Amino acid sequence: MAPCLPVEPVKYFVAVLYRDPAALDRARRELTERWGILDFESPDHPFDTTNYYRAEMGEGLQRRLLSFDSLMPPTELVGMKLACNEIENSLADSGKRTVNLDCGYLDHHKVVLASAKGAGHKLYLDRGIWGDITSRWQNGAYRPFEWSFPDFKDLRYQAELAAIRARYLAQRKIVLSHSI
């Protein structure tokens, strides 16, 4: 039997969907209180590939990617998704979310988002949370799959994900050099 290898830490991020900048600020504050300082914050991107959130969150939605400075084990994904759901609920106004927090991680191979909904391509993790492998690194970029969310599929976040990956690779090198 082959021995189990230690799992390398990964780079966590949250894709924040919001309309009101004050809601983004409150979400950012909650996120950093739980997971530490941010080392990357993307510019806003219009969230215009679906109307799925319009009835709840209104029009003119924006998406911003935030990544955390500390690397963490991939097993933290379930707890992070459940905590993000708590943050969404705590910031809701009259039962409607003011932010949607899609957390996930990346490593040098892939991008994984947490989901509370199962599907044929998702892996069940624990406590009602699935892992959705959204894209893989190939030929110098993260390439989406046919099932990837439309806004991740159209490559609008490609530069940001590459920048987060570059930061991850530098951090990974330091972590691995200390474990040898």
Side-chain angles (χ1 to χ4, degrees):
M1 178 200 284
C4 293
L5 299 174
V7 176
E8 291 183 16
V10 296
K11 185 77 166 168
Y12 277 88
F13 67 92
V14 176
V16 182
L17 185 63
Y18 74 98
R19 183 173 46 86
D20 177 11
L24 170 67
D25 290 341
R26 289 190 303 272
R28 186 189 302 109
R29 199 168 32 254
E30 291 281 338
L31 293 167
T32 57
E33 283 177 13
R34 291 179 191 243
W35 294 291
I37 64 172
L38 301 173
D39 65 357
F40 181 85
E41 187 163 346
S42 77
D44 290 335
H45 291 273
F47 187 78
D48 55 6
T49 57
T50 177
N51 294 327
Y52 184 81
Y53 297 98
R54 183 179 290 166
E56 180 180 14
M57 297 180 71
E59 301 214 17
L61 296 176
Q62 300 289 316
R63 172 97 74 184
R64 185 179 295 193
L65 303 183
L66 311 172
S67 73
F68 299 96
D69 185 54
S70 298
L71 300 184
M72 296 179 275
T75 53
E76 296 294 318
L77 187 60
V78 169
M80 184 175 269
K81 179 60 177 172
L82 294 172
C84 282
N85 289 350
E86 289 174 12
I87 293 168
E88 288 178 3
N89 291 335
S90 74
L91 299 178
D93 183 16
S94 302
K96 293 186 175 187
R97 290 180 292 178
T98 60
V99 294
N100 174 278
L101 305 173
D102 288 320
C103 63
Y105 66 79
L106 60 77
D107 62 20
H108 54 296
H109 298 297
K110 64 193 165 300
V111 173
V112 178
L113 293 175
S115 177
K117 300 175 202 82
H121 63 279
K122 297 178 185 179
L123 300 174
Y124 183 74
L125 301 174
D126 195 18
R127 297 186 284 167
I129 304 301
W130 282 260
D132 184 349
I133 301 174
T134 303
S135 56
R136 68 172 177 225
W137 187 261
Q138 184 179 37
N139 299 324
Y142 285 110
R143 307 293 177 187
F145 296 104
E146 63 190 54
W147 57 78
S148 298
F149 293 119
D151 60 326
F152 277 82
K153 199 172 186 175
D154 72 8
L155 307 179
R156 67 180 65 190
Y157 310 120
Q158 197 60 254
E160 288 88 347
L161 291 172
I164 295 169
R165 182 181 189 268
R167 175 76 176 135
Y168 164 73
L169 291 175
Q171 290 174 298
R172 178 180 173 264
K173 186 183 241 183
I174 293 167
V175 168
L176 293 178
S177 72
H178 286 97
S179 65
I180 295 177

